[in-house]
Amino acid sequence: DAGVIQSPRHEVTEMGQEVTLRCKPISGHDYLFWYRQTMMRGLELLIYFNNNVPIDDSGMPEDRFSAKMPNASFSTLKIQPSEPRDSAVYFCASTGHRDRGETNYGYTFGSGTRLTVV
Amino acid sequence: AQTVTQSQPEMSVQEAETVTLSCTYDTSENNYYLFWYKQPPSRQMILVIRQEAYKQQNATENRFSVNFQKAAKSFSLKISDSQLGDTAMYFCAAAGANSKLTFGKGITLSVRP
């Protein structure tokens, strides 16, 4: 498996523009997570899905942020309109269900998208 | 819900020596997992080691081992024979029954040649 794939790797956009970040989880993983990493706040969980259904979106900062998972192999995180304070690295991660007894249970992260809003 | 605390913001160690990174956590669950992740300058998040809470034996992975003290809710990472490539940020994390993974603030480790 190629691992968790995120695109784009870097994104520079102007304030007010719409930004869409994409993620392809590992095939067979039940859970997908979106994190945001900044120097000030560290790694924050924004939202996570189980079997394509959003379970907890309490970390989504405001209505400008939205996330979807239309199928098991694809998720998007959208920011509209973007603001300079949204500048951060956004990670996607996936994992299987731990009760399957997988000996290598763990969370696999994508390479992240560095978003800069100017 | 879990909370994870890493109180040391940074540490430094001489190459080939041993270093221990501290982590404490809080949870009301009995069955949970603990992890250490490494984030080098490339920013990739790399799983270093995992510990299942119901297993008393401390996990080991080559030069990396943990000291898991369940009653004290402590989960420290020991790196033996430190190498220059170990220079990175290290994050402690916990996941409970809902699979929600919570991170500490991380610690920056520098390995000196």
Side-chain angles (χ1 to χ4, degrees):
Chain A
D1 201 314
V4 176
I5 300 173
Q6 289 188 248
S7 64
R9 185 158 172 79
H10 303 279
E11 176 80 31
V12 180
T13 191
E14 292 184 347
M15 183 174 61
Q17 296 297 306
E18 177 180 294
V19 176
T20 300
L21 311 182
R22 297 173 176 79
C23 176
K24 175 179 167 54
I26 289 176
S27 177
H29 277 185
D30 300 299
Y31 291 85
L32 183 140
F33 303 79
W34 283 100
Y35 286 88
R36 178 172 68 175
Q37 184 178 29
T38 60
M39 289 290 291
M40 291 298 293
R41 302 173 71 94
L43 278 158
E44 302 174 275
L45 177 63
L46 300 177
I47 185 171
Y48 76 103
F49 297 82
N50 178 214
N51 292 325
N52 313 337
V53 176
I55 302 301
D56 184 348
D57 65 354
S58 60
M60 296 286 263
E62 48 199 273
D63 292 346
R64 298 185 297 106
F65 286 69
S66 62
K68 294 181 180 180
M69 192 165 185
N71 57 62
S73 59
F74 184 65
S75 177
T76 60
L77 178 67
K78 186 177 292 187
I79 308 173
Q80 166 64 22
S82 57
E83 297 182 2
R85 59 190 168 126
D86 301 331
S87 297
V89 177
Y90 291 82
F91 285 102
C92 176
S94 70
T95 190
H97 199 289
R98 66 180 194 173
D99 290 338
R100 288 197 191 129
E102 296 169 357
T103 56
N104 61 347
Y105 172 72
Y107 295 69
T108 303
F109 283 74
S111 299
T113 295
R114 179 175 294 281
L115 174 65
T116 303
V117 184
V118 297
Chain B
Q2 291 79 35
T3 60
V4 178
T5 302
Q6 294 178 256
S7 55
Q8 305 158 299
E10 56 184 80
M11 289 189 73
S12 178
V13 64
Q14 193 74 32
E15 191 177 9
E17 294 188 345
T18 296
V19 64
T20 298
L21 311 183
S22 301
C23 173
T24 58
Y25 62 93
D26 193 16
T27 180
S28 57
E29 300 188 33
N30 288 318
N31 187 15
Y32 51 91
Y33 280 76
L34 299 167
F35 304 87
W36 278 97
Y37 277 84
K38 171 184 178 181
Q39 187 179 40
S42 67
R43 85 170 181 241
Q44 181 68 48
M45 293 287 287
I46 302 165
L47 177 61
V48 175
I49 199 164
R50 79 174 61 77
Q51 175 78 42
E52 300 167 69
Y54 64 87
K55 288 189 175 180
Q56 292 186 335
Q57 186 173 8
N58 288 326
T60 63
E61 287 287 344
N62 302 314
R63 298 183 296 108
F64 299 88
S65 61
V66 300
N67 183 3
F68 175 46
Q69 301 290 327
K70 191 171 184 178
K73 296 183 178 176
S74 171
F75 183 61
S76 60
L77 175 70
K78 186 171 81 170
I79 306 174
S80 304
D81 186 25
S82 297
Q83 300 176 359
L84 297 178
D86 295 334
T87 293
M89 278 204 74
Y90 287 82
F91 293 93
C92 180
N98 62 4
S99 295
K100 184 175 177 178
L101 185 65
T102 301
F103 284 91
K105 290 193 177 296
I107 178 171
T108 300
L109 176 67
S110 300
V111 180
R112 305 185 305 273

